Amino acid sequence: MKRVVVVGAGFGGLAAARALRERGPKEMDILLISPKPELLYYPGLIWIPTRLRSPDDLRIPLGRFLDKYRIRHIPETVTGLKDQGRTVLTDKGQYVNDALLIATGSASLRKLPGIEHSRSICQGIADAVDIRDRIAALTSGTIALGFAGNPQEPSAVRGGPVFELLFGLDTWLRKTGRRDRIALTFFSPAAEPGNRLGPKAVKNLLAEMARRNIPTHLGSRLQAFSAEGVSTEGEKFPADLIVFTPGLRGPEWLSETGLPLSPGGFIRAERTCQVEGWPGTFVAGDCGSYPGPDWMPKQGHSADLQAETAAGNILDFLKGRKGIRTFRVELVCVVDSFDSGTLVYRTPTRNVLLQNPLFHHAKAYFERRYLARYR
């Protein structure tokens, strides 16, 4: 009986485990290692500050999913690897495998002085709730929202949720009659924030900020945060609440494994999702660094595409064949604004941008459909 170990219970890990069970032999042993048998639906975090979602809406217990697909969950934290991936080390034990899929996501670059004065909408439930509560207590003042990348790995950036929260807050504050007392401002060290979405998107995003009376502070390196506001190389501006998403880096546990890592600390993988030089060890989602265009996104949709590819190639590997499937490179997102949305679609040959109030409802519908498979 073959055993496949999947590390990580996020988008990539769960999609891969499901695909392995659906396509693989019935007797195959699938182990899923993660601290909790739970999926956190990160895209929905943008709706917690405006109370369109509660934390319980986004925490999905995986018990029924694991039972349905006969996946054994190991409630432990991965700490390392041995035998070029054939043994996974955790904080409580070790697990031998015939093939391994790593999908443990990314970590944040939190080195900026004073970053403790900020909260990130991409960090998790605790930060999203804190943002919600601080805004609720704010009678007047300024909320500064921004993001930055990883200088060592340009693709390791997550700006979409910040744009969504920015526009969503503007709409919500207007609807609740508080926008005239609470100012919003946007900042980024990038001169063209959102350029990974395409040239049309950058112009659209900046024009939308101007239309909504949201000042911007762009193209100047960040120096520090404080209780009073934001300092860059070019200026200082006040903020009563700083919402900041830093650049991404590879998870800390990877550093001592011997895995080939990119400058940003992500696992170097081929387009087949196999780790370079590590047969039988695959990667999906944010923890990987893959060949492709510099705008290739780190998002749940990409993790799903990579997971499907990795699962097929794992099954080939277990049969003694070289997996040759490659994942589709595309960016698909809806930049939500509480009651409307902008669809952005990008491939190596196309870049589409469409605005319509229906896209807000489409994003919510997709969330329900996506989570139904795990509930």
Side-chain angles (χ1 to χ4, degrees), residues 109 111 148-157 189 221 246-249 263-264:
L109 284 171
K111 296 181 179 180
N150 183 337
Q152 294 182 304
E153 192 135 348
S155 65
V157 60
R221 184 177 178 181
L248 307 177
R249 62 174 176 83

Side-chain angles (χ1 to χ4, degrees), residues 214-235:
I214 300 173
T216 60
H217 306 269
L218 308 177
S220 189
R221 184 177 178 181
L222 298 175
Q223 288 190 325
F225 297 148
S226 71
E228 288 72 41
V230 179
S231 298
T232 74
E233 287 184 337
E235 61 178 331

Side-chain angles (χ1 to χ4, degrees), residues 122-144:
C122 299
Q123 194 69 22
I125 293 287
D127 271 32
V129 169
D130 195 45
I131 293 168
R132 180 196 68 190
D133 294 345
R134 290 186 181 211
I135 293 173
L138 193 64
T139 56
S140 64
T142 299
I143 305 173

Side-chain angles (χ1 to χ4, degrees), residues 40-120:
L40 174 57
Y41 189 72
Y42 278 89
L45 292 174
I46 60 162
W47 286 332
I48 285 182
T50 54
R51 302 180 185 273
L52 286 179
R53 294 290 181 276
S54 70
D56 288 342
D57 293 329
L58 307 178
R59 292 193 192 101
I60 312 302
L62 295 172
R64 293 180 64 182
F65 167 80
L66 296 170
D67 289 343
K68 176 181 178 181
Y69 287 93
R70 294 180 291 112
I71 297 167
R72 289 200 290 149
H73 180 256
I74 309 297
E76 299 173 15
T77 299
V78 64
T79 58
L81 302 175
K82 288 196 312 185
D83 310 320
Q84 208 172 28
R86 296 291 67 80
T87 303
V88 177
L89 308 178
T90 74
D91 55 348
K92 296 179 182 178
Q94 58 184 33
Y95 300 89
V96 176
N97 65 81
D98 297 287
L100 169 66
L101 186 284
I102 303 172
T104 54
S106 60
S108 296
L109 284 171
R110 301 187 61 82
K111 296 181 179 180
L112 191 70
I115 197 167
E116 68 273 11
H117 294 287
S118 71
R119 296 294 180 268
S120 172

Side-chain angles (χ1 to χ4, degrees), residues 152-223:
Q152 294 182 304
E153 192 135 348
S155 65
V157 60
R158 184 165 285 136
V162 179
F163 291 129
E164 293 185 281
L165 183 59
L166 178 69
F167 297 139
L169 281 177
D170 177 77
T171 302
W172 180 67
L173 289 169
R174 292 179 190 277
K175 287 181 177 291
T176 55
R178 302 170 63 202
R179 183 64 171 89
D180 60 332
R181 291 176 282 120
I182 298 178
L184 299 175
T185 187
F186 174 78
F187 65 94
S188 174
E192 295 184 324
N195 59 359
R196 291 168 64 244
L197 301 176
K200 291 181 181 179
V202 174
K203 293 180 181 179
N204 176 270
L205 291 166
L206 295 179
E208 188 68 10
M209 290 181 205
R211 187 183 72 82
R212 293 171 178 262
N213 192 28
I214 300 173
T216 60
H217 306 269
L218 308 177
S220 189
R221 184 177 178 181
L222 298 175
Q223 288 190 325

